[in-house]
Amino acid sequence: MSQFIESIKVVDRKIFLLEMHQQRVNGTFSHFGHKNPIDLAQIFKNLHHEEEGLYKFKVTYDLEGKFRTQMIPYAISEKTDFELVENNVYDYAFKFEDRTELERMKQRSRAAEIIVVKNNHITDTSYSNLIFKKGKDWFTPKSFLLNGVQRQHLLKTKKIKEAEITLQNIHDFSHFQLINAMNNLDDQLIYPLAKIKNLPQKATNNS
């Protein structure tokens, strides 16, 4: 049976975006025709987590309601470079534990992290959604692989907007960031577009 994961941010015993994580769990159960989804709030409460600091609360579960938990100390890591990797058929609409295809793409890459391109459209990295800067505004690709909770939250609070971001218009943007449940909109880790090793050449006007 398929296994799914939720990775939830916990800082000083406070849990973040819990309602959105629970909505995703509920949607996963519902999509596959199962009732009685696991209760993330109750699972967290039963852990009696007393530690200070930043943690990733990881819940791995199946559709029968079996689950296991990990509470992992977390530090946000900077990536040295990125590579665009084309895969027009990959589907990660649900947060499956099985990441074999993503890991295969990473292993074939020559960069620290990959950015998956699907039908010429920018999607996600191997573990996060993306946002791109144009002027003072941040935009996230409409063509995501997984509609992450942080992505939904930032759109809902109007801190970012959606845009069609393709290989053809990527040079309209100057910088990018990685966002997921553990990584918020952050001024610390903003990457210039040049960090993408195999960026297509910028179109020039011959007028």
Side-chain angles (χ1 to χ4, degrees):
M1 173 174 286
S2 292
Q3 300 263 310
F4 303 87
I5 53 175
E6 284 297 322
S7 297
I8 307 171
K9 182 177 181 178
V10 175
V11 179
D12 299 338
R13 303 184 301 280
K14 180 186 175 186
I15 193 164
F16 285 77
L17 302 181
L18 181 60
E19 185 178 324
M20 299 181 92
H21 283 285
Q22 187 65 55
Q23 285 174 359
R24 181 159 64 189
V25 169
N26 295 353
T28 300
F29 270 76
S30 176
H31 177 83
F32 291 99
H34 287 252
K35 297 179 180 178
N36 302 318
I38 59 171
D39 184 338
L40 296 174
Q42 191 59 51
I43 292 170
F44 180 68
K45 186 178 177 183
N46 290 343
L47 284 181
H48 302 293
H49 175 66
E50 300 291 340
E51 302 295 324
E52 300 285 331
L54 174 62
Y55 282 80
K56 179 199 286 187
F57 171 38
K58 184 177 178 182
V59 183
T60 307
Y61 67 95
D62 65 22
L63 297 172
E64 298 300 325
K66 298 186 183 117
F67 65 86
R68 65 182 186 275
T69 62
Q70 292 171 278
M71 192 66 76
I72 307 163
Y74 191 82
I76 295 169
S77 59
E78 186 170 358
K79 302 297 180 184
T80 53
D81 54 9
F82 298 79
E83 185 174 352
L84 299 170
V85 174
E86 186 177 5
N87 191 323
N88 294 334
V89 296
Y90 185 58
D91 182 20
Y92 194 69
F94 295 91
K95 201 164 170 59
F96 292 104
E97 183 189 32
D98 184 356
R99 294 168 44 84
T100 306
E101 181 65 14
L102 284 168
E103 292 304 324
R104 186 186 68 80
M105 286 189 273
K106 274 193 77 173
Q107 285 167 10
R108 290 176 62 181
S109 163
R110 294 156 299 158
E113 184 52 61
I114 60 171
I115 295 174
V116 181
V117 179
K118 195 169 183 179
N119 300 316
N120 278 341
H121 285 70
I122 303 298
T123 64
D124 299 336
T125 75
S126 71
Y127 69 98
S128 74
N129 293 127
L130 286 160
I131 54 174
F132 289 83
K133 191 176 188 183
K134 182 193 285 187
K136 294 182 179 179
D137 296 324
W138 288 94
F139 298 84
T140 189
K142 289 183 178 179
S143 46
F144 54 84
L145 294 175
L146 180 77
N147 191 10
V149 294
Q150 189 68 252
R151 181 185 187 277
Q152 294 176 54
H153 172 68
L154 292 173
L155 282 169
K156 189 176 179 181
T157 54
K158 300 193 182 330
K159 291 180 180 175
I160 63 172
K161 305 170 187 175
E162 270 192 325
E164 191 172 350
I165 304 178
T166 68
L167 294 179
Q168 287 70 38
N169 72 3
I170 193 168
H171 285 286
D172 293 349
F173 305 88
S174 61
H175 296 79
F176 65 98
Q177 286 190 53
L178 283 57
I179 56 166
N180 59 21
M182 302 300 299
N183 296 276
N184 198 347
L185 192 61
D186 184 358
D187 290 337
Q188 302 300 316
L189 282 180
I190 298 178
Y191 298 99
L193 216 58
K195 282 284 186 181
I196 304 173
K197 292 172 61 170
N198 58 340
L199 202 63
Q201 285 193 335
K202 191 172 185 179
T204 56
N205 294 323
N206 297 321
S207 55

